[in-house]
Amino acid sequence: MSTNKRIDIICVVVLILAIILTVLFMNGEKLGLTVVVDEDSETTTTSSYFTTNDMDGDWNTSEATIITLEGDDITVSGSGAYVNDGSVYIAQSGYYVVSGELTDGSIVVAAEDYSKVWIMLDGVDIYCEDDAGIIVEQADKVFLTLAEGSENTIETGSEYSEEAVEDDRDGAIFSHDDLTINGSGSLTVTTGYSHGIVSKDDLIITGGTITVTAPGDGLKANDALNITDADITIDVEDDGITCDTSVYIGGGAILISNSYEGIEAVNVEIEDGDITIYSTDDGINANGGSTEDEETYISISGGTLRIFNEGGNDADGIDSNGDIRISGGTIFVSLTDGGMNNAIDYASENGGVAVITGGTIIAAGSSGMAESFDSTSTQASILYTTSASMEAGTTVSVVDADGNEIISWEVPYSFSSINISSPDLTVGETYTICVGDESETVTLEDVVTTAGEATAGGMGQMGGMGQMGGFGKGNRVQYP
Protein backbone atom coordinates (compact mmCIF):
# COMPACT_ATOMS: atom_id res chain seq x y z
CA MET A 1 0.00 0.00 0.00
CA SER A 2 1.39 3.38 -0.94
CA THR A 3 2.18 6.03 1.62
CA ASN A 4 -0.49 8.36 0.19
CA LYS A 5 -3.20 5.70 0.61
CA ARG A 6 -2.15 5.13 4.23
CA ILE A 7 -2.42 8.86 4.92
CA ASP A 8 -5.89 8.95 3.33
CA ILE A 9 -7.08 6.05 5.52
CA ILE A 10 -5.68 7.71 8.65
CA CYS A 11 -7.46 10.97 7.82
CA VAL A 12 -10.76 9.16 7.36
CA VAL A 13 -10.37 7.32 10.70
CA VAL A 14 -9.53 10.56 12.51
CA LEU A 15 -12.56 12.26 10.94
CA ILE A 16 -14.88 9.42 12.01
CA LEU A 17 -13.51 9.50 15.57
CA ALA A 18 -13.97 13.28 15.72
CA ILE A 19 -17.62 12.92 14.63
CA ILE A 20 -18.24 10.20 17.25
CA LEU A 21 -16.65 12.31 20.02
CA THR A 22 -18.70 15.33 19.00
CA VAL A 23 -21.95 13.33 19.13
CA LEU A 24 -21.04 11.91 22.56
CA PHE A 25 -20.15 15.37 23.87
CA MET A 26 -23.41 16.92 22.69
CA ASN A 27 -25.68 14.02 23.69
CA GLY A 28 -23.77 12.33 26.47
CA GLU A 29 -26.47 12.67 29.14
CA LYS A 30 -29.19 11.42 26.76
CA LEU A 31 -27.06 8.35 26.06
CA GLY A 32 -26.71 7.62 29.79
CA LEU A 33 -23.13 8.81 30.20
CA THR A 34 -22.04 10.49 33.43
CA VAL A 35 -21.01 14.12 33.08
CA VAL A 36 -17.85 14.99 35.00
CA VAL A 37 -18.00 18.41 36.68
CA ASP A 38 -15.12 20.28 38.29
CA GLU A 39 -16.26 20.73 41.89
CA ASP A 40 -14.05 23.79 42.21
CA SER A 41 -15.54 25.52 39.19
CA GLU A 42 -17.49 28.73 39.73
CA THR A 43 -20.59 30.10 38.10
CA THR A 44 -21.38 33.78 37.78
CA THR A 45 -24.42 35.30 39.43
CA THR A 46 -26.69 37.77 37.67
CA SER A 47 -23.95 40.32 38.36
CA SER A 48 -20.74 40.00 36.38
CA TYR A 49 -18.80 41.18 39.42
CA PHE A 50 -19.55 38.21 41.73
CA THR A 51 -19.72 34.42 41.44
CA THR A 52 -22.10 32.14 43.30
CA ASN A 53 -19.25 31.12 45.58
CA ASP A 54 -18.50 34.77 46.32
CA MET A 55 -22.07 35.25 47.51
CA ASP A 56 -22.28 31.99 49.51
CA GLY A 57 -21.51 32.94 53.11
CA ASP A 58 -23.33 29.99 54.69
CA TRP A 59 -21.76 26.83 53.24
CA ASN A 60 -22.08 23.36 54.83
CA THR A 61 -19.42 22.71 57.47
CA SER A 62 -20.35 19.10 58.26
CA GLU A 63 -17.32 17.64 56.49
CA ALA A 64 -14.92 20.53 57.10
CA THR A 65 -11.53 20.17 58.79
CA ILE A 66 -11.73 21.73 62.27
CA ILE A 67 -8.85 23.93 63.42
CA THR A 68 -8.84 25.01 67.08
CA LEU A 69 -6.47 27.73 68.29
CA GLU A 70 -5.47 27.70 71.96
CA GLY A 71 -2.89 30.37 72.70
CA ASP A 72 0.34 28.97 71.28
CA ASP A 73 -1.20 25.53 70.66
CA ILE A 74 -3.12 24.45 67.54
CA THR A 75 -5.26 21.36 67.08
CA VAL A 76 -6.24 20.07 63.64
CA SER A 77 -9.06 17.56 63.29
CA GLY A 78 -9.32 16.38 59.69
CA SER A 79 -7.17 16.41 56.58
CA GLY A 80 -5.51 19.10 54.50
CA ALA A 81 -3.86 21.16 57.25
CA TYR A 82 -0.87 20.88 59.56
CA VAL A 83 0.94 22.88 62.24
CA ASN A 84 4.45 24.26 61.95
CA ASP A 85 6.33 26.71 64.18
CA GLY A 86 3.25 28.20 65.83
CA SER A 87 1.23 28.68 62.63
CA VAL A 88 -1.35 26.54 60.85
CA TYR A 89 -0.78 25.65 57.19
CA ILE A 90 -3.61 24.73 54.83
CA ALA A 91 -2.13 22.67 52.00
CA GLN A 92 -5.14 21.34 50.10
CA SER A 93 -8.33 22.61 48.55
CA GLY A 94 -11.39 22.05 50.70
CA TYR A 95 -13.32 23.42 53.66
CA TYR A 96 -11.89 24.51 57.02
CA VAL A 97 -13.43 25.96 60.18
CA VAL A 98 -11.16 27.94 62.51
CA SER A 99 -11.93 29.13 66.05
CA GLY A 100 -10.05 30.22 69.17
CA GLU A 101 -7.09 32.46 70.00
CA LEU A 102 -3.60 32.46 68.51
CA THR A 103 -1.15 34.58 70.48
CA ASP A 104 1.62 34.91 67.87
CA GLY A 105 1.16 33.12 64.58
CA SER A 106 -0.69 33.00 61.29
CA ILE A 107 -3.11 31.02 59.20
CA VAL A 108 -1.18 30.25 56.02
CA VAL A 109 -2.69 28.89 52.79
CA ALA A 110 0.00 27.10 50.78
CA ALA A 111 -1.94 24.93 48.33
CA GLU A 112 -1.65 24.12 44.63
CA ASP A 113 -2.20 27.02 42.28
CA TYR A 114 -5.46 25.46 41.03
CA SER A 115 -6.94 24.98 44.52
CA LYS A 116 -9.99 26.69 45.95
CA VAL A 117 -9.97 26.94 49.74
CA TRP A 118 -12.90 27.80 52.01
CA ILE A 119 -12.01 29.07 55.51
CA MET A 120 -14.74 29.88 58.01
CA LEU A 121 -13.71 32.15 60.88
CA ASP A 122 -15.94 31.23 63.80
CA GLY A 123 -14.71 33.40 66.67
CA VAL A 124 -10.97 33.81 66.10
CA ASP A 125 -8.54 36.19 67.78
CA ILE A 126 -5.23 36.12 65.91
CA TYR A 127 -2.19 38.22 66.73
CA CYS A 128 1.06 38.08 64.76
CA GLU A 129 3.90 40.32 65.82
CA ASP A 130 5.96 40.38 62.61
CA ASP A 131 3.77 39.09 59.77
CA ALA A 132 0.25 38.99 58.41
CA GLY A 133 -2.29 37.15 60.52
CA ILE A 134 -3.79 35.45 57.45
CA ILE A 135 -1.47 34.73 54.52
CA VAL A 136 -2.35 33.25 51.15
CA GLU A 137 0.96 32.11 49.71
CA GLN A 138 -0.63 30.15 46.90
CA ALA A 139 -4.10 29.03 45.78
CA ASP A 140 -6.44 29.71 42.92
CA LYS A 141 -8.91 31.44 45.21
CA VAL A 142 -9.59 31.66 48.95
CA PHE A 143 -13.03 32.30 50.47
CA LEU A 144 -12.81 33.79 53.95
CA THR A 145 -16.25 33.36 55.53
CA LEU A 146 -17.34 35.14 58.72
CA ALA A 147 -19.62 32.73 60.57
CA GLU A 148 -23.04 33.97 61.60
CA GLY A 149 -22.90 35.69 65.00
CA SER A 150 -19.11 35.39 65.24
CA GLU A 151 -16.65 38.10 66.25
CA ASN A 152 -13.20 37.80 64.68
CA THR A 153 -10.06 39.89 65.11
CA ILE A 154 -6.78 39.98 63.22
CA GLU A 155 -4.00 42.16 64.60
CA THR A 156 -0.36 42.58 63.64
CA GLY A 157 2.64 44.51 64.94
CA SER A 158 4.36 47.57 63.51
CA GLU A 159 7.39 45.85 61.95
CA TYR A 160 7.33 42.78 59.72
CA SER A 161 10.06 40.16 59.42
CA GLU A 162 12.66 40.18 56.66
CA GLU A 163 10.96 37.16 55.08
CA ALA A 164 7.59 38.93 55.03
CA VAL A 165 9.08 42.09 53.52
CA GLU A 166 10.91 40.10 50.82
CA ASP A 167 7.62 38.39 49.94
CA ASP A 168 5.91 41.81 49.74
CA ARG A 169 3.45 40.87 52.48
CA ASP A 170 2.14 44.30 53.37
CA GLY A 171 -1.26 43.67 54.94
CA ALA A 172 -2.66 42.29 58.16
CA ILE A 173 -4.61 39.96 55.86
CA PHE A 174 -2.53 39.31 52.75
CA SER A 175 -3.11 37.24 49.62
CA HIS A 176 -1.02 36.66 46.51
CA ASP A 177 -4.14 35.29 44.80
CA ASP A 178 -7.87 35.99 44.56
CA LEU A 179 -9.48 36.57 47.95
CA THR A 180 -13.19 36.73 48.82
CA ILE A 181 -14.61 37.79 52.19
CA ASN A 182 -18.24 36.88 52.83
CA GLY A 183 -20.63 35.78 55.56
CA SER A 184 -22.57 37.65 58.23
CA GLY A 185 -20.19 37.78 61.21
CA SER A 186 -17.78 40.57 62.12
CA LEU A 187 -14.09 41.06 61.36
CA THR A 188 -11.83 43.65 62.98
CA VAL A 189 -8.44 44.16 61.32
CA THR A 190 -5.79 46.27 63.04
CA THR A 191 -2.16 46.74 62.04
CA GLY A 192 0.67 49.07 62.95
CA TYR A 193 2.73 48.15 59.89
CA SER A 194 1.12 49.07 56.58
CA HIS A 195 -2.22 48.11 55.00
CA GLY A 196 -5.32 46.38 56.32
CA ILE A 197 -6.54 43.81 53.76
CA VAL A 198 -4.48 43.24 50.61
CA SER A 199 -4.87 41.03 47.53
CA LYS A 200 -2.36 41.01 44.73
CA ASP A 201 -5.18 39.72 42.50
CA ASP A 202 -8.91 40.31 43.05
CA LEU A 203 -10.40 41.33 46.39
CA ILE A 204 -14.12 40.57 46.65
CA ILE A 205 -16.26 41.46 49.68
CA THR A 206 -19.90 40.37 49.73
CA GLY A 207 -20.88 40.40 53.39
CA GLY A 208 -19.96 40.82 57.02
CA THR A 209 -19.28 43.74 59.33
CA ILE A 210 -15.66 44.72 58.71
CA THR A 211 -13.55 47.31 60.53
CA VAL A 212 -10.05 48.22 59.35
CA THR A 213 -7.50 50.42 61.12
CA ALA A 214 -4.07 50.90 59.52
CA PRO A 215 -1.30 53.47 58.87
CA GLY A 216 -1.44 52.66 55.16
CA ASP A 217 -4.41 51.73 52.96
CA GLY A 218 -7.58 50.07 54.21
CA LEU A 219 -8.59 47.74 51.35
CA LYS A 220 -6.05 47.26 48.56
CA ALA A 221 -6.06 45.12 45.40
CA ASN A 222 -4.21 44.88 42.13
CA ASP A 223 -6.72 43.46 39.64
CA ALA A 224 -10.25 44.29 40.84
CA LEU A 225 -11.90 45.33 44.08
CA ASN A 226 -15.63 44.59 44.20
CA ILE A 227 -17.92 45.19 47.19
CA THR A 228 -21.58 44.53 47.95
CA ASP A 229 -23.83 43.84 50.96
CA ALA A 230 -21.11 44.48 53.55
CA ASP A 231 -20.90 46.96 56.42
CA ILE A 232 -17.38 48.41 56.27
CA THR A 233 -15.66 51.01 58.47
CA ILE A 234 -12.15 52.22 57.56
CA ASP A 235 -9.80 54.48 59.54
CA VAL A 236 -6.44 54.89 57.79
CA GLU A 237 -3.72 57.40 57.01
CA ASP A 238 -3.50 56.63 53.30
CA ASP A 239 -6.26 55.53 50.90
CA GLY A 240 -9.43 53.98 52.24
CA ILE A 241 -10.17 51.73 49.24
CA THR A 242 -7.63 51.49 46.43
CA CYS A 243 -7.00 49.31 43.38
CA ASP A 244 -4.58 49.40 40.47
CA THR A 245 -7.45 48.83 38.05
CA SER A 246 -11.10 49.10 39.13
CA VAL A 247 -13.35 49.53 42.16
CA TYR A 248 -16.99 48.47 42.00
CA ILE A 249 -19.52 49.06 44.79
CA GLY A 250 -22.94 47.46 44.34
CA GLY A 251 -24.42 47.84 47.80
CA GLY A 252 -23.84 47.82 51.54
CA ALA A 253 -22.71 50.57 53.90
CA ILE A 254 -19.20 52.03 53.79
CA LEU A 255 -17.81 54.62 56.20
CA ILE A 256 -14.29 55.87 55.54
CA SER A 257 -13.92 57.92 58.70
CA ASN A 258 -10.35 59.05 58.00
CA SER A 259 -8.19 58.80 54.87
CA TYR A 260 -5.85 60.61 52.50
CA GLU A 261 -7.93 59.69 49.46
CA GLY A 262 -11.20 57.88 50.05
CA ILE A 263 -11.52 55.66 46.96
CA GLU A 264 -8.87 55.46 44.23
CA ALA A 265 -8.60 53.38 41.04
CA VAL A 266 -8.31 53.81 37.28
CA ASN A 267 -12.08 53.55 37.13
CA VAL A 268 -14.63 53.66 39.95
CA GLU A 269 -18.20 52.43 39.55
CA ILE A 270 -20.90 52.92 42.20
CA GLU A 271 -24.28 51.32 41.54
CA ASP A 272 -25.72 51.27 45.05
CA GLY A 273 -24.85 51.54 48.73
CA ASP A 274 -24.59 54.12 51.49
CA ILE A 275 -21.08 55.59 51.29
CA THR A 276 -19.57 58.30 53.49
CA ILE A 277 -16.01 59.50 52.96
CA TYR A 278 -13.85 61.81 55.07
CA SER A 279 -10.58 62.59 53.29
CA THR A 280 -7.75 65.09 53.38
CA ASP A 281 -7.20 64.88 49.60
CA ASP A 282 -9.60 63.61 46.94
CA GLY A 283 -12.77 61.90 48.04
CA ILE A 284 -12.94 59.71 44.93
CA ASN A 285 -10.10 59.71 42.41
CA ALA A 286 -10.01 57.99 39.01
CA ASN A 287 -6.25 58.13 38.56
CA GLY A 288 -5.72 56.60 35.12
CA GLY A 289 -5.07 58.33 31.82
CA SER A 290 -1.40 57.45 31.47
CA THR A 291 -2.00 55.62 28.16
CA GLU A 292 -4.23 56.46 25.21
CA ASP A 293 -6.16 53.17 25.35
CA GLU A 294 -6.81 53.29 29.11
CA GLU A 295 -10.38 54.29 29.89
CA THR A 296 -10.57 56.39 33.03
CA TYR A 297 -13.88 57.30 34.61
CA ILE A 298 -16.05 57.62 37.68
CA SER A 299 -19.56 56.25 37.19
CA ILE A 300 -22.34 56.77 39.76
CA SER A 301 -25.75 55.28 38.98
CA GLY A 302 -27.32 54.77 42.41
CA GLY A 303 -26.95 54.80 46.17
CA THR A 304 -26.13 57.67 48.51
CA LEU A 305 -22.67 59.23 48.49
CA ARG A 306 -21.35 61.82 50.95
CA ILE A 307 -17.85 63.31 50.67
CA PHE A 308 -16.40 65.63 53.32
CA ASN A 309 -13.03 67.38 53.47
CA GLU A 310 -12.68 69.89 56.28
CA GLY A 311 -8.98 70.69 56.23
CA GLY A 312 -7.61 69.77 52.82
CA ASN A 313 -5.98 72.23 50.44
CA ASP A 314 -5.67 71.57 46.71
CA ALA A 315 -8.16 68.70 47.07
CA ASP A 316 -11.15 67.54 45.06
CA GLY A 317 -14.38 65.88 46.02
CA ILE A 318 -14.99 63.78 42.89
CA ASP A 319 -11.85 63.81 40.72
CA SER A 320 -11.34 61.98 37.43
CA ASN A 321 -8.38 62.09 35.08
CA GLY A 322 -10.95 61.17 32.44
CA ASP A 323 -14.75 61.33 32.61
CA ILE A 324 -17.41 61.61 35.29
CA ARG A 325 -20.76 59.93 34.55
CA ILE A 326 -23.70 60.40 36.89
CA SER A 327 -26.98 58.71 36.02
CA GLY A 328 -28.55 58.20 39.44
CA GLY A 329 -28.08 58.28 43.18
CA THR A 330 -27.90 61.10 45.72
CA ILE A 331 -24.56 62.88 46.11
CA PHE A 332 -23.41 65.46 48.66
CA VAL A 333 -19.92 66.97 48.54
CA SER A 334 -18.49 69.55 50.93
CA LEU A 335 -14.92 70.87 50.78
CA THR A 336 -13.60 73.82 52.76
CA ASP A 337 -13.37 76.99 50.66
CA GLY A 338 -9.83 78.01 49.81
CA GLY A 339 -6.96 77.08 47.53
CA MET A 340 -7.98 74.85 44.65
CA ASN A 341 -10.53 72.78 46.53
CA ASN A 342 -12.83 71.71 43.74
CA ALA A 343 -16.03 69.76 44.40
CA ILE A 344 -16.07 68.25 40.90
CA ASP A 345 -12.90 67.94 38.82
CA TYR A 346 -12.37 66.14 35.51
CA ALA A 347 -9.93 66.16 32.59
CA SER A 348 -11.69 68.79 30.50
CA GLU A 349 -8.33 70.00 29.22
CA ASN A 350 -7.73 66.54 27.72
CA GLY A 351 -11.19 65.94 26.31
CA GLY A 352 -12.78 64.53 29.44
CA VAL A 353 -16.42 65.33 30.24
CA ALA A 354 -18.68 65.34 33.29
CA VAL A 355 -22.13 64.23 32.15
CA ILE A 356 -25.22 63.99 34.33
CA THR A 357 -28.32 62.19 33.08
CA GLY A 358 -30.02 61.42 36.40
CA GLY A 359 -29.67 61.57 40.16
CA THR A 360 -29.38 64.42 42.62
CA ILE A 361 -26.18 66.29 43.50
CA ILE A 362 -25.15 69.23 45.66
CA ALA A 363 -21.39 69.72 45.51
CA ALA A 364 -19.83 72.67 47.35
CA GLY A 365 -16.23 73.86 47.24
CA SER A 366 -13.97 76.67 46.13
CA SER A 367 -14.82 78.89 43.17
CA GLY A 368 -11.26 79.30 41.87
CA MET A 369 -11.27 76.13 39.75
CA ALA A 370 -14.98 75.30 39.70
CA GLU A 371 -16.25 73.23 36.76
CA SER A 372 -19.78 72.85 35.46
CA PHE A 373 -21.25 69.73 33.91
CA ASP A 374 -20.85 69.21 30.17
CA SER A 375 -23.46 70.48 27.71
CA THR A 376 -23.99 66.91 26.46
CA SER A 377 -25.79 66.17 29.76
CA THR A 378 -29.52 65.46 29.54
CA GLN A 379 -30.35 66.65 33.08
CA ALA A 380 -30.23 70.34 33.93
CA SER A 381 -27.62 71.67 36.35
CA ILE A 382 -26.65 75.00 37.92
CA LEU A 383 -23.15 76.16 38.88
CA TYR A 384 -23.60 79.01 41.35
CA THR A 385 -20.68 81.10 42.61
CA THR A 386 -21.20 83.25 45.70
CA SER A 387 -20.14 86.85 46.18
CA ALA A 388 -18.00 85.88 49.18
CA SER A 389 -16.97 82.77 51.06
CA MET A 390 -19.99 81.27 52.79
CA GLU A 391 -19.63 80.14 56.40
CA ALA A 392 -19.88 76.52 57.46
CA GLY A 393 -23.49 75.58 58.07
CA THR A 394 -24.92 77.81 55.33
CA THR A 395 -28.10 76.43 53.81
CA VAL A 396 -28.41 76.13 50.04
CA SER A 397 -31.81 75.66 48.43
CA VAL A 398 -33.51 75.89 45.03
CA VAL A 399 -37.17 76.95 44.85
CA ASP A 400 -39.36 76.77 41.75
CA ALA A 401 -41.66 79.51 40.44
CA ASP A 402 -44.54 78.20 42.56
CA GLY A 403 -42.53 78.40 45.76
CA ASN A 404 -41.87 74.65 46.02
CA GLU A 405 -38.46 73.69 47.37
CA ILE A 406 -36.69 71.50 44.83
CA ILE A 407 -33.56 70.75 46.82
CA SER A 408 -31.93 71.92 50.05
CA TRP A 409 -28.83 71.17 52.13
CA GLU A 410 -27.07 72.75 55.09
CA VAL A 411 -23.48 72.63 53.81
CA PRO A 412 -21.10 71.52 56.59
CA TYR A 413 -18.01 73.51 55.56
CA SER A 414 -17.30 76.93 54.05
CA PHE A 415 -17.62 77.31 50.27
CA SER A 416 -17.77 79.84 47.45
CA SER A 417 -19.27 77.73 44.66
CA ILE A 418 -21.90 75.05 44.48
CA ASN A 419 -22.92 72.68 41.72
CA ILE A 420 -26.56 71.57 41.79
CA SER A 421 -28.53 69.12 39.67
CA SER A 422 -31.86 67.38 40.18
CA PRO A 423 -34.40 65.54 38.02
CA ASP A 424 -36.85 68.27 39.11
CA LEU A 425 -34.91 71.00 37.29
CA THR A 426 -36.35 71.71 33.84
CA VAL A 427 -34.82 73.71 31.02
CA GLY A 428 -36.94 76.78 30.28
CA GLU A 429 -38.27 77.08 33.83
CA THR A 430 -37.38 79.80 36.36
CA TYR A 431 -35.95 79.06 39.81
CA THR A 432 -34.69 81.02 42.81
CA ILE A 433 -31.32 80.00 44.21
CA CYS A 434 -30.94 80.78 47.91
CA VAL A 435 -27.51 80.65 49.51
CA GLY A 436 -27.56 82.01 53.04
CA ASP A 437 -28.72 85.61 52.73
CA GLU A 438 -28.10 85.65 48.97
CA SER A 439 -30.75 84.83 46.42
CA GLU A 440 -30.96 85.01 42.64
CA THR A 441 -33.75 84.19 40.23
CA VAL A 442 -32.49 82.26 37.22
CA THR A 443 -34.19 80.96 34.09
CA LEU A 444 -32.55 77.77 32.82
CA GLU A 445 -31.95 78.67 29.18
CA ASP A 446 -29.87 75.56 28.56
CA VAL A 447 -29.04 72.23 30.20
CA VAL A 448 -26.04 73.90 31.93
CA THR A 449 -26.54 77.23 33.70
CA THR A 450 -24.02 79.38 35.54
CA ALA A 451 -25.20 82.02 38.00
CA GLY A 452 -23.96 84.33 40.72
CA GLU A 453 -20.44 85.69 40.44
CA ALA A 454 -19.60 83.01 37.87
CA THR A 455 -21.75 84.85 35.32
CA ALA A 456 -19.59 87.95 35.55
CA GLY A 457 -16.23 86.39 36.27
CA GLY A 458 -16.39 83.32 34.06
CA MET A 459 -15.07 81.13 36.84
CA GLY A 460 -17.20 78.22 35.76
CA GLN A 461 -15.13 77.95 32.57
CA MET A 462 -11.76 77.63 34.33
CA GLY A 463 -12.15 74.01 35.34
CA GLY A 464 -9.68 72.76 32.76
CA MET A 465 -6.85 73.54 35.15
CA GLY A 466 -8.43 71.51 37.91
CA GLN A 467 -6.09 68.57 37.31
CA MET A 468 -3.31 70.58 38.90
CA GLY A 469 -4.66 69.16 42.12
CA GLY A 470 -2.74 65.98 41.36
CA PHE A 471 0.52 67.70 42.31
CA GLY A 472 -0.58 67.50 45.93
CA LYS A 473 0.54 63.86 45.96
CA GLY A 474 4.13 64.97 46.07
CA ASN A 475 3.92 65.27 49.84
CA ARG A 476 2.06 62.02 50.30
CA VAL A 477 3.40 59.46 52.77
CA GLN A 478 3.86 56.16 50.95
CA TYR A 479 3.56 52.77 52.65
CA PRO A 480 4.91 49.45 51.37
Side-chain angles (χ1 to χ4, degrees):
M1 184 181 290
S2 68
T3 302
N4 288 338
K5 288 184 177 179
R6 288 196 184 97
I7 293 174
D8 290 342
I9 292 172
I10 291 172
C11 290
V12 171
V13 171
V14 170
L15 178 61
I16 293 171
L17 289 174
I19 293 171
I20 292 171
L21 288 172
T22 301
V23 171
L24 289 173
F25 178 79
M26 296 177 65
N27 300 279
E29 290 185 88
K30 294 179 181 178
L31 296 173
L33 300 178
T34 301
V35 179
V36 178
V37 179
D38 178 5
E39 293 182 356
D40 284 345
S41 65
E42 291 193 85
T43 56
T44 303
T45 64
T46 53
S47 167
S48 61
Y49 298 95
F50 308 103
T51 67
T52 52
N53 284 336
D54 290 331
M55 302 301 294
D56 183 9
D58 190 27
W59 41 267
N60 189 351
T61 63
S62 60
E63 296 184 3
T65 295
I66 306 301
I67 301 170
T68 305
L69 312 175
E70 299 177 298
D72 57 358
D73 190 23
I74 303 170
T75 302
V76 177
S77 177
S79 61
Y82 63 92
V83 179
N84 181 45
D85 195 24
S87 293
V88 57
Y89 286 78
I90 295 174
Q92 296 178 5
S93 61
Y95 298 85
Y96 302 83
V97 177
V98 186
S99 62
E101 179 183 3
L102 189 59
T103 52
D104 192 5
S106 306
I107 298 174
V108 182
V109 177
E112 299 292 339
D113 60 5
Y114 54 78
S115 299
K116 286 184 171 61
V117 177
W118 286 260
I119 303 172
M120 180 172 287
L121 301 183
D122 191 5
V124 302
D125 186 352
I126 297 174
Y127 178 80
C128 191
E129 176 63 30
D130 61 357
D131 209 333
I134 296 177
I135 304 167
V136 179
E137 289 185 353
Q138 181 172 278
D140 175 51
K141 191 171 185 177
V142 173
F143 302 90
L144 199 61
T145 299
L146 310 176
E148 182 180 1
S150 68
E151 297 181 0
N152 307 281
T153 63
I154 308 293
E155 184 176 358
T156 68
S158 58
E159 186 174 347
Y160 277 15
S161 67
E162 183 177 342
E163 177 188 355
V165 173
E166 288 178 353
D167 191 42
D168 198 25
R169 297 198 289 265
D170 55 358
I173 295 177
F174 174 83
S175 178
H176 280 296
D177 301 298
D178 293 342
L179 175 65
T180 292
I181 300 175
N182 58 23
S184 58
S186 71
L187 174 64
T188 300
V189 178
T190 306
T191 180
Y193 175 62
S194 188
H195 312 307
I197 302 174
V198 176
S199 172
K200 295 300 183 181
D201 280 347
D202 294 346
L203 176 58
I204 311 295
I205 300 177
T206 67
T209 300
I210 300 169
T211 302
V212 178
T213 304
D217 300 325
L219 308 177
K220 183 179 178 70
N222 280 17
D223 290 349
L225 205 166
N226 302 336
I227 300 171
T228 192
D229 298 339
D231 189 336
I232 301 173
T233 301
I234 298 172
D235 184 347
V236 292
E237 296 177 22
D238 210 334
D239 295 340
I241 298 172
T242 183
C243 183
D244 290 347
T245 53
S246 65
V247 169
Y248 168 83
I249 300 174
I254 299 173
L255 169 61
I256 302 176
S257 60
N258 185 63
S259 66
Y260 179 73
E261 289 191 338
I263 300 173
E264 182 179 36
V266 174
N267 55 72
V268 177
E269 185 173 354
I270 298 172
E271 285 192 349
D272 202 355
D274 190 322
I275 305 164
T276 301
I277 298 170
Y278 290 86
S279 63
T280 57
D281 198 74
D282 299 338
I284 299 178
N285 181 21
N287 62 357
S290 58
T291 61
E292 290 184 2
D293 58 351
E294 183 176 57
E295 186 179 20
T296 301
Y297 63 87
I298 296 169
S299 172
I300 303 170
S301 57
T304 299
L305 173 64
R306 308 171 192 85
I307 296 175
F308 304 109
N309 188 330
E310 184 176 12
N313 190 20
D314 191 11
D316 301 311
I318 300 174
D319 178 18
S320 175
N321 288 355
D323 297 340
I324 296 174
R325 309 163 187 169
I326 300 174
S327 58
T330 303
I331 303 165
F332 300 98
V333 180
S334 178
L335 287 78
T336 303
D337 187 28
M340 297 181 183
N341 293 342
N342 199 4
I344 299 174
D345 187 23
Y346 57 97
S348 53
E349 76 282 15
N350 293 322
V353 294
V355 174
I356 185 163
T357 59
T360 298
I361 183 169
I362 301 182
S366 175
S367 60
M369 308 298 292
E371 291 190 277
S372 60
F373 284 103
D374 192 77
S375 60
T376 58
S377 299
T378 59
Q379 179 170 292
S381 65
I382 303 168
L383 175 63
Y384 184 86
T385 306
T386 63
S387 59
S389 180
M390 297 288 107
E391 295 182 354
T394 298
T395 297
V396 173
S397 63
V398 178
V399 178
D400 68 16
D402 296 325
N404 300 310
E405 188 174 79
I406 298 297
I407 192 170
S408 178
W409 188 36
E410 184 178 309
V411 182
Y413 308 136
S414 62
F415 64 95
S416 56
S417 75
I418 191 155
N419 215 326
I420 302 168
S421 184
S422 166
D424 294 326
L425 294 176
T426 303
V427 174
E429 297 294 324
T430 298
Y431 300 90
T432 301
I433 304 168
C434 304
V435 182
D437 294 332
E438 292 187 11
S439 65
E440 181 175 342
T441 299
V442 178
T443 299
L444 306 189
E445 302 290 353
D446 206 340
V447 71
V448 178
T449 299
T450 58
E453 292 299 307
T455 304
M459 294 180 182
Q461 307 302 317
M462 295 174 62
M465 298 175 62
Q467 297 299 318
M468 292 173 63
F471 295 134
K473 286 193 173 184
N475 298 321
R476 181 177 182 177
V477 177
Q478 297 289 342
Y479 289 88

